[in-house]
């Protein structure tokens, strides 16, 4: 009889256990399941990237100079306005020369007076009526007066400012009537017969760049594409961005390309490389313009925000330069409804 009671208890335990396993989910679990956001993911895999590198840059003149007067004074004439062409040797501006003209005239008078005294004393020295020491003093005085004359002549000439190169007047930092000091930059002239695109390239792409490499440069302001070549490759990386400077030279015979314009550069590399790429719509951007995606944890059925760095856009695919690894599940549809850590339902 006792043995029958033991068997009955074991059977009851098994029955209750089976009943518990068939119980429905708790309300919290059911709510989470119902609120899960449906998404579609792709498992990131390396692909063969085109041998093309795309970077952005700014146009700058081939040679740019900043001009200022070698003497102080009041500006009385400016020969050109901003944007106008300037020829080498052309007068750019001048100062009121009155005070320097007077100083030059005083120096001329001093030279004449000293020269007259020198001529008289020279005769006396030749007749042995004047010692060598006294004659040397007047000789040195004449040399000093002539040096002062040359200095005042130079100061007078420096009231006129001439262009050292041909180009375009980019900036005019002074106006007629203003008082300017010695060496104060007043004008910026840039030679734009040839221009350069100043761009930065990630250190991972540097090995694909070489001097003389052809480049296609699109200037959006002109809606036109130009052909240039790489003329400079930086030898040291920028401390913050870890990118290297690259300069592409462009001929500009019509002077249509101006410094400050934005340019998109496409460089045809010699070799293909493996890249990670996502559909452009999968990449989102924050208020600080930081690019990010949502990476799915398929075990937890949750997604997590991940900041990334992006590269070129080709055929609606954007290159991922950092932030993701091969094999990770990245949300490519439904991402606009997501927040960091939210539960998702991954659709097939």
């Amino acid at each position: 009889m006792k043995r029958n009671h033991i068997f009955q208890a074991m059977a009851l335990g098994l029955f209750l256990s089976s009943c518990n396993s068939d119980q429905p989910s708790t309300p919290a679990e059911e709510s989470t399941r119902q609120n899960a956001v449906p998404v579609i993911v792709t498992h990131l895999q390396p692909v063969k990237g085109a041998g093309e590198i795309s970077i952005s840059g700014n146009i700058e003149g081939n040679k740019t100079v900043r001009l200022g007067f070698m003497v102080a004074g009041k500006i009385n004439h400016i020969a050109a306005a901003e944007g106008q062409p300037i020829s080498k040797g052309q007068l750019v501006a001048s100062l009121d020369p009155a005070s320097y003209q007077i100083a030059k005239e005083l120096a001329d008078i001093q030279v004449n007076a000293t020269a007259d005294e020198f001529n008289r004393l020279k005769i006396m020295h030749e007749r042995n009526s004047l010692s060598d020491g006294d004659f040397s003093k007047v000789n040195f005085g004449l040399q000093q007066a002539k040096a002062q004359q040359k200095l005042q002549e130079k100061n007078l000439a420096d009231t006129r400012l001439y262009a050292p190169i041909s180009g375009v007047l980019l900036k005019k930092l002074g106006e007629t009537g203003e008082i300017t000091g010695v060496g104060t930059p007043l004008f910026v002239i840039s030679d734009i017969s040839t221009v350069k695109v100043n761009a930065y390239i990630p250190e991972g792409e540097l090995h694909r760049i070489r001097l003389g490499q052809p480049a296609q440069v699109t200037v959006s302001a002109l809606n036109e594409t130009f052909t240039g070549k790489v003329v400079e490759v930086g030898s040291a990386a920028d401390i913050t961005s870890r990118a290297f400077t690259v300069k592409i030279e462009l001929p500009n015979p019509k002077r249509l390309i101006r410094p400050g314009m934005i340019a998109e550069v496409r460089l045809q590399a010699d070799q293909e490389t493996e890249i990670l790429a996502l559909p452009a719509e999968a990449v989102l951007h924050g208020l600080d313009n930081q690019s990010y995606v949502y990476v799915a944890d398929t075990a937890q059925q949750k997604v997590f925000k991940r900041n990334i760095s992006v590269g070129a856009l080709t055929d609606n695919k954007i290159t991922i330069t950092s932030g993701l690894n091969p094999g990770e599940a990245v949300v490519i549809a439904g991402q606009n409804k997501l927040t960091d850590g939210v539960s998702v339902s991954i659709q097939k």
Side-chain angles (χ1 to χ4, degrees):
M1 180 67 75
K2 186 174 182 181
R3 183 177 295 175
N4 290 339
H5 284 304
I6 293 173
F7 285 135
Q8 289 175 358
M10 291 175 64
L12 180 61
L14 291 172
F15 174 76
L16 291 175
S17 176
S18 65
C19 290
N20 289 337
S21 64
D22 294 335
Q23 285 182 351
S25 303
T26 64
E29 291 173 341
E30 186 63 29
S31 175
T32 300
R33 187 175 300 169
Q34 291 176 355
N35 293 331
V37 180
V39 297
I40 297 175
V41 303
T42 184
H43 291 274
L44 205 58
Q45 296 298 332
V47 295
K48 285 289 185 181
E52 186 177 87
I53 303 170
S54 296
I55 50 178
S56 297
N58 296 317
I59 302 291
E60 59 184 30
N62 183 49
K63 182 185 294 184
T64 301
V65 295
R66 292 164 178 80
L67 302 181
F69 288 97
M70 295 292 291
V71 293
K74 182 173 72 174
I75 302 172
N76 68 350
H77 175 68
I78 296 176
E82 289 187 1
Q84 289 187 341
I86 296 287
S87 300
K88 182 177 180 179
Q90 178 181 334
L91 177 68
V92 178
S94 64
L95 300 177
D96 183 354
S99 58
Y100 295 101
Q101 183 64 51
I102 294 172
K104 171 63 168 56
E105 292 174 358
L106 290 174
D108 292 342
I109 293 172
Q110 183 64 31
V111 168
N112 292 335
T114 308
D116 182 66
E117 183 179 8
F118 174 82
N119 291 331
R120 288 187 294 102
L121 294 180
K122 181 180 179 182
I123 297 174
M124 295 178 61
H125 181 258
E126 290 174 348
R127 295 175 178 176
N128 295 322
S129 298
L130 185 68
S131 66
D132 291 342
D134 290 338
F135 182 69
S136 295
K137 289 180 181 179
V138 71
N139 186 25
F140 293 147
L142 178 59
Q143 294 179 27
Q144 184 177 11
K146 288 182 177 180
Q148 186 66 24
Q149 183 187 44
K150 289 180 180 179
L151 176 61
Q152 297 303 333
E153 186 176 358
K154 180 181 180 300
N155 288 342
L156 180 61
D158 284 343
T159 61
R160 299 173 68 82
L161 187 62
Y162 297 93
I165 63 172
S166 296
V168 171
L169 182 61
L170 294 185
K171 290 185 180 180
K172 183 180 66 172
L173 305 175
E175 294 293 342
T176 302
E178 288 186 13
I179 305 297
T180 183
V182 176
T184 302
L186 295 173
F187 306 95
V188 180
I189 298 176
S190 183
D191 174 12
I192 62 170
S193 58
T194 300
V195 295
K196 292 179 181 178
V197 182
N198 188 25
Y200 288 90
I201 189 165
E203 58 182 343
E205 300 284 359
L206 187 64
H207 68 283
R208 304 173 67 196
I209 303 298
R210 69 178 192 282
L211 292 177
Q213 187 171 357
Q216 297 297 311
V217 180
T218 301
V219 181
S220 56
L222 303 176
N223 194 27
E224 192 171 349
T225 299
F226 304 87
T227 301
K229 63 179 180 179
V230 176
V231 293
E232 292 183 37
V233 179
S235 57
D238 181 77
I239 297 176
T240 56
S241 65
R242 305 306 305 167
F244 288 80
T245 302
V246 175
K247 290 191 178 182
I248 296 92
E249 186 177 78
L250 295 176
N252 187 29
K254 296 182 180 179
R255 298 340 191 242
L256 296 177
I257 310 173
R258 294 298 181 98
M261 289 182 173
I262 304 298
E264 296 293 330
V265 181
R266 297 191 306 277
L267 295 163
Q268 195 66 34
D270 295 333
Q271 56 186 355
E272 291 187 342
T273 183
E274 286 193 340
I275 62 171
L276 298 176
L278 284 171
E281 57 270 16
V283 180
L284 304 175
H285 303 279
L287 296 177
D288 57 355
N289 207 31
Q290 171 65 55
S291 300
Y292 66 93
V293 295
Y294 284 101
V295 179
D297 185 328
T298 54
Q300 299 184 52
Q301 293 285 296
K302 290 185 177 182
V303 295
F304 300 94
K305 181 179 177 181
R306 181 87 60 83
N307 288 338
I308 60 171
S309 297
V310 298
L313 177 66
T314 305
D315 297 330
N316 203 38
K317 292 268 189 175
I318 191 164
T319 304
I320 309 302
T321 57
S322 66
L324 292 174
N325 297 311
E328 291 189 296
V330 180
V331 178
I332 59 172
Q335 66 273 19
N336 292 320
K337 300 178 181 179
L338 300 178
T339 56
D340 191 32
V342 73
S343 297
V344 295
S345 172
I346 299 176
Q347 307 297 305
K348 300 296 184 182

